[in-house]
């Protein structure tokens, strides 16, 4: 996707009273600018008063004035005379104690976590059921009656939720969000997830089972496209990655619970697979009920022009009214910037603009890469078919379920470190570290199938490397794709952009689910695992070239990150970053990496340094 080269504009914005030197469509200088920076105080106050009159917030105009002053230069809040000591202390704590957040924010995150657990449980119900339902419905994949046709049928039924998501559920997300908001969309999606899995337990043939799985996909797609956005829009920038990544962490927990349920009902006889599929309704119940106890996304209210409700929502999600006022006005200012290049549009034009507006196109490409990489890494051949794989390795049905349970446990436990590392090391760094390790562990697991099956080491070493693979996946490619895709798009295109990203992920999950039963028959497990190990290396190259870092910047500031042309980013990675890593970590030289991005405002880690050393200025490097 080539970017049209433009000369960055440099002009004086008379309406806002500041110099404009960064183009949101072609930020070739890689400068990340605060849209309020440089506005004279009188002009800023005049703009705030006009904003309050237009939005009916005149009763809190003095508060929004103070919030605008803080938003204009966040590190300099100590010098703002209008703030009292309690407000200054709250702003200090926001940086020094970034996890000290109000209860409503954590309730919202818990709700999103339940939504993720539904997603994970839905995935693994079929994992254990695959050992039984094909025989009941006359499409066995093992034994004398097995055939290639049956393998395709089993793959098709297992892929049902991902087909339904990719073709319908994800694309329903934008209109549902437009009419019902984030909470309403989550409610509708949860109802689909609740009723469809119950229905799957009562099916009488594989055709009916496929229909219920497709309906489940409608709910999964709409939910997966909305919940990460809902979390990202409600969380402060400094901890957004850690909280939004709870989607993957609790998806992993849901996967683990699904494996637990598979084991719990294993000895219930002929109805075991029905209970394994139907048990996924359990986490959907609290999701349906709990969603209305959470505040609506303030950014959705702002998009709809409901600024009074947006302020009330922000007041529940921030520690003080000052912080709510600051975020309200800052979001408003950045949306005005977005409107200059995007303007007004409808669903169809928004989708087309994913590929035509340079800033949005770069986010589309980056989200496509991270979502595609989640399927290329091979995690879902384990999540969907681990029981089948372990049976291929010589395990009995109970042993296979126990080994799958171990995989689910490792997947969940090793997701926890990312809560801290995703905002410390960044999304990109986690991916670049974990993909090479996933490649070699997956290859090793495949090669262990060569060990004679009668040896104890055969099954033990396969399980060991599968678990090691999961341990590398969980803190990297596990949490990053949904966190990343939820934050990279501008507000105007966030729903359709996330729909695109999730549809990409789940479409390729459907392809994987359909093809893997046939692939493992044709390639043998050794060839199948080696194939996905190679895809890990391919994904690593794509991430290195096309995925910018986003850590600890506000959702609005990311407009400037994705205004940097793709060729500029690629050129930097190949000519600056790659030689730096080679010299530093292979040749062991003492070298310094020239930063790609130059931020007007420091990120949270630099603000902490600023609190300790008020006169020390730093330039943030977000290029790694």
């Amino acid at each position: 996707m080539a970017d049209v080269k433009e000369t960055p504009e440099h002009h004086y914005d008379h309406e806002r009273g500041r110099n404009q030197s960064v183009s949101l469509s072609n930020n070739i200088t890689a400068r990340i600018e605060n849209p309020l920076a440089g506005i004279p105080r009188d002009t800023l106050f005049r703009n705030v008063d006009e904003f309050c009159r237009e939005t009916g917030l005149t009763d809190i105009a003095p508060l929004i004035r103070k919030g605008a002053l803080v938003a204009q230069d966040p590190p300099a809040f100590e010098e703002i005379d209008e703030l009292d000591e309690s407000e200054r202390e709250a702003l200090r704590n926001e940086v020094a104690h970034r996890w000290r957040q109000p209860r409503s924010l954590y309730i919202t995150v818990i709700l999103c976590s339940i939504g993720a657990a539904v997603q994970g449980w839905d995935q693994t119900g079929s994992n254990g059921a695959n050992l039984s339902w094909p025989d009941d419905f006359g499409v066995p994949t093992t034994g004398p009656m097995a055939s290639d046709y049956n393998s395709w049928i089993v793959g098709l039924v297992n892929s049902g939720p991902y087909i339904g998501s990719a073709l319908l559920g994800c694309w329903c997300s934008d209109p549902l969000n437009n009419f019902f908001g984030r909470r309403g969309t989550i409610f509708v999606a949860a109802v689909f997830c609740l009723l469809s899995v119950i229905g799957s337990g009562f099916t009488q043939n594989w055709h009916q089972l496929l229909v219920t799985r497709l309906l489940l996909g409608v709910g999964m797609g709409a939910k997966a496209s909305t919940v990460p956005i809902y979390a990202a829009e409600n969380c402060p920038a400094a901890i957004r990655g850690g909280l939004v990544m709870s989607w993957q962490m609790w998806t992993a927990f849901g996967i683990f619970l699904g494996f637990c349920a598979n084991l719990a009902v294993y000895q219930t006889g002929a109805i075991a697979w029905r209970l394994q599929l139907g048990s996924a309704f359990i986490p959907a119940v609290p999701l349906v009920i709990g969603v209305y106890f959470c505040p609506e996304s303030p950014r959705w209210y702002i998009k709809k022009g409901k600024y009074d409700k947006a302020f009330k929502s922000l007041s529940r999600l921030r520690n003080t009214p000052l912080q709510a006022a600051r975020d309200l006005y800052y979001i408003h200012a950045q949306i005005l910037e977005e409107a200059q290049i995007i303007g007004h549009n409808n669903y169809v034009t928004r989708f087309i603009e994913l590929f035509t507006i340079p800033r949005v196109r770069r986010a589309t490409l980056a989200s496509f890469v991270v979502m595609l990489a989640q399927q290329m890494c091979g995690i879902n051949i384990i999540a969907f078919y681990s029981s089948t794989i372990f049976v291929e390795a010589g395990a009995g049905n109970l042993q296979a379920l126990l080994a799958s349970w171990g995989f689910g446990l490792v997947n969940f436990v090793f997701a926890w470190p990312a809560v801290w590392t995703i905002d410390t090391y960044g999304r990109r760094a986690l991916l670049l570290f974990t993909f090479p390790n996933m490649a070699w562990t997956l290859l090793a697991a495949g090669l262990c199938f060569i060990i004679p099956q009668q040896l104890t080491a055969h099954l033990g070493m396969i399980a060991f490397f599968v678990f090691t693979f999961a341990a590398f996946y969980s803190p990297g490619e596990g949490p990053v794709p949904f966190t990343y895709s939820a934050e990279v798009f501008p507000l105007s295109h966030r729903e359709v952009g996330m729909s695109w990203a999730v549809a990409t992920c789940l479409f390729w999950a459907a392809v994987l689910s359909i093809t893997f039963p046939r692939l493992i028959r044709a390639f043998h497990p050794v060839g199948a695992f080696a194939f996905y190990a190679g895809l890990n290396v391919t994904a690593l190259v794509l991430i290195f070239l096309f995925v910018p870092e986003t850590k600890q910047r506000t959702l609005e500031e990311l407009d400037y990150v994705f205004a940097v042309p793709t060729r500029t980013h690629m050129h930097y990675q190949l000519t600056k970053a790659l030689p730096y890593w080679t010299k530093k970590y292979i040749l062991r030289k003492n070298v310094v990496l020239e930063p790609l991005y130059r931020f007007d405002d420091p990120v949270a880690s630099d603000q902490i340094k600023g609190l300790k050393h008020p006169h020390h200025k730093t330039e943030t490097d977000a290029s790694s």
Side-chain angles (χ1 to χ4, degrees):
M1 296 184 182
D3 296 295
V4 179
K5 190 171 183 178
E6 302 172 3
T7 302
E9 300 176 0
H10 184 100
H11 66 275
Y12 189 80
D13 188 333
H14 292 280
E15 181 181 350
R16 300 189 197 174
R18 70 183 180 94
N19 283 303
Q20 296 263 30
S21 59
V22 178
S23 169
L24 267 180
S25 61
N26 200 45
N27 184 10
I28 60 175
T29 62
R31 180 180 166 199
I32 313 304
E33 185 181 68
N34 183 334
L36 301 176
I39 301 178
R41 176 175 288 223
D42 291 344
T43 304
L44 180 65
F45 284 171
R46 189 163 57 249
N47 291 344
V48 169
D49 291 342
E50 182 181 354
F51 164 75
C52 291
R53 284 194 299 272
E54 291 175 352
T55 57
L57 297 175
T58 52
D59 55 326
I60 58 169
L63 180 63
I64 296 182
R65 279 188 172 199
K66 291 195 289 185
L69 287 173
V70 175
Q72 187 178 41
D73 191 0
F77 66 85
E78 299 280 6
E79 301 168 10
I80 299 175
D81 295 333
E82 286 84 351
L83 302 184
D84 59 38
E85 184 55 32
S86 64
E87 291 170 331
R88 290 192 181 93
E89 184 62 24
L91 293 172
R92 293 186 198 110
N93 288 336
E94 183 178 53
V95 176
H97 304 285
R98 58 181 181 170
W99 294 99
R100 190 179 295 171
Q101 300 294 335
R103 181 185 302 174
S104 291
L105 179 62
Y106 284 113
I107 290 175
T108 300
V109 172
I110 291 171
L111 184 280
C112 294
S113 301
I114 294 172
V118 173
Q119 202 88 351
W121 201 324
D122 287 335
Q123 290 179 12
T124 50
S126 63
N127 189 305
N130 283 335
L131 299 177
S132 306
W133 76 259
D135 293 328
D136 281 5
F137 287 163
V139 286
T141 56
T142 58
M145 300 298 293
S147 67
D148 289 345
Y149 172 80
N150 291 352
S151 295
W152 286 114
I153 293 298
V154 172
L156 178 64
V157 172
N158 283 324
S159 69
Y162 311 102
I163 295 173
S165 295
L167 299 184
L168 185 59
C170 293
W171 304 109
C172 288
S173 173
D174 186 285
L176 285 173
N177 273 279
N178 186 48
F179 289 108
F180 301 116
R182 311 288 189 240
R183 294 188 308 162
T185 301
I186 294 171
F187 174 80
V188 172
V191 170
F192 270 89
C193 292
L194 173 65
L195 298 180
S196 60
V197 294
I198 294 175
S200 66
F202 292 94
T203 54
Q204 300 302 311
N205 53 58
W206 69 262
H207 308 85
Q208 295 175 3
L209 182 57
L210 175 61
V211 170
T212 61
R213 303 282 287 169
L214 291 169
L215 291 175
L216 172 61
V218 175
M220 287 176 61
K223 177 161 54 65
S225 301
T226 303
V227 171
I229 290 178
Y230 180 58
E233 291 182 340
N234 286 350
C235 295
I239 59 170
R240 186 179 65 244
L243 292 182
V244 177
M245 69 78 51
S246 65
W247 169 264
Q248 174 57 31
M249 186 172 70
W250 295 105
T251 296
F253 183 62
I255 290 172
F256 173 65
L257 290 179
F259 284 128
C260 290
N262 289 344
L263 277 171
V265 300
Y266 168 69
Q267 293 183 320
T268 55
I271 64 168
W273 68 265
R274 297 181 183 275
L275 296 176
Q276 288 167 340
L277 290 174
S279 63
F281 89 92
I282 296 172
V285 173
L287 181 62
V288 168
I289 297 171
V291 67
Y292 283 101
F293 292 96
C294 298
E296 181 57 272
S297 164
R299 285 177 171 85
W300 184 83
Y301 278 137
I302 290 173
K303 184 178 179 180
K304 293 298 182 180
K306 300 177 181 179
Y307 283 86
D308 55 335
K309 292 184 177 180
F311 179 72
K312 291 177 182 177
S313 183
L314 278 168
S315 296
R316 294 180 61 186
L317 296 165
R318 300 294 182 265
N319 285 312
T320 65
L322 172 67
Q323 292 164 306
R326 175 202 60 192
D327 290 356
L328 179 74
Y329 192 71
Y330 188 84
I331 294 168
H332 166 75
Q334 189 60 55
I335 288 173
L336 291 180
E337 296 278 322
E338 289 180 8
Q340 291 181 5
I341 62 166
I342 294 171
H344 299 286
N345 45 41
N346 57 40
Y347 187 18
V348 175
T349 57
R350 284 198 300 276
F351 177 76
I352 294 172
E353 286 167 355
L354 291 179
F355 310 96
T356 57
I357 295 177
R359 179 263 179 264
V360 184
R361 184 173 68 237
R362 296 173 195 120
T364 302
L365 173 61
S367 64
F368 172 82
V369 169
V370 295
M371 285 296 198
L372 179 63
Q374 190 170 72
Q375 303 308 321
M376 293 174 73
C377 78
I379 187 64
N380 283 331
I381 67 175
I382 312 297
F384 299 167
Y385 291 108
S386 62
S387 298
T388 303
I389 289 170
F390 287 124
V391 167
E392 286 273 347
N397 284 359
L398 180 58
Q399 283 181 305
L401 290 174
L402 285 169
S404 296
W405 178 86
F407 160 77
L409 180 62
V410 171
N411 189 33
F412 173 60
V413 169
F414 280 87
W416 279 95
V419 174
W420 293 273
T421 58
I422 197 168
D423 283 315
T424 303
Y425 299 106
R427 289 74 159 140
R428 177 182 168 86
L430 289 178
L431 296 180
L432 294 179
F433 170 73
T434 54
F435 263 92
N437 289 295
M438 287 191 291
W440 74 260
T441 51
L442 204 59
L443 179 61
L447 293 175
C448 287
F449 277 89
I450 299 175
I451 298 173
Q453 192 166 324
Q454 64 270 22
L455 297 180
T456 306
H458 176 82
L459 180 58
M461 293 303 292
I462 291 171
F464 172 77
F465 282 113
V466 166
F467 293 172
T468 307
F469 167 79
F472 281 117
Y473 166 84
S474 293
E477 183 59 16
V480 168
F482 282 86
T483 301
Y484 191 87
S485 300
E487 65 191 5
V488 297
F489 292 98
L491 180 61
S492 56
H493 291 68
R494 194 160 293 154
E495 296 94 339
V496 70
M498 189 63 178
S499 297
W500 153 264
V502 176
T504 297
C505 179
L506 298 182
F507 171 78
W508 290 106
V511 172
L512 180 153
S513 186
I514 291 173
T515 59
F516 189 72
R518 183 69 186 92
L519 183 71
I520 204 168
R521 281 174 62 88
F523 281 18
H524 188 266
V526 177
F529 276 65
F531 173 73
Y532 276 96
L535 292 183
N536 273 277
V537 177
T538 304
L540 174 67
V541 175
L542 294 175
I543 290 164
F544 181 76
L545 294 176
F546 299 119
V547 177
E549 184 56 83
T550 61
K551 70 170 182 176
Q552 295 185 350
R553 304 311 302 182
T554 69
L555 296 180
E556 289 68 39
E557 287 167 341
L558 292 179
D559 282 336
Y560 294 97
V561 171
F562 286 94
V564 175
T566 303
R567 66 163 63 90
T568 301
H569 183 268
M570 293 173 61
H571 183 265
Y572 172 84
Q573 301 303 333
L574 291 172
T575 63
K576 303 290 185 182
L578 185 59
Y580 164 79
W581 287 105
T582 302
K583 292 175 183 177
K584 184 175 179 66
Y585 295 104
I586 297 178
L587 302 180
R588 313 301 293 178
K589 293 184 177 181
N590 186 18
V591 290
V592 177
L593 177 62
E594 176 187 335
L596 170 60
Y597 305 120
R598 291 170 174 82
F599 295 108
D600 281 356
D601 297 327
V603 296
S605 58
D606 289 331
Q607 289 189 39
I608 294 174
K609 296 176 185 176
L611 288 176
K612 297 177 180 177
H613 309 285
H615 302 294
H616 179 68
K617 297 289 185 182
T618 62
E619 185 177 62
T620 301
D621 173 20
S623 59
S624 60

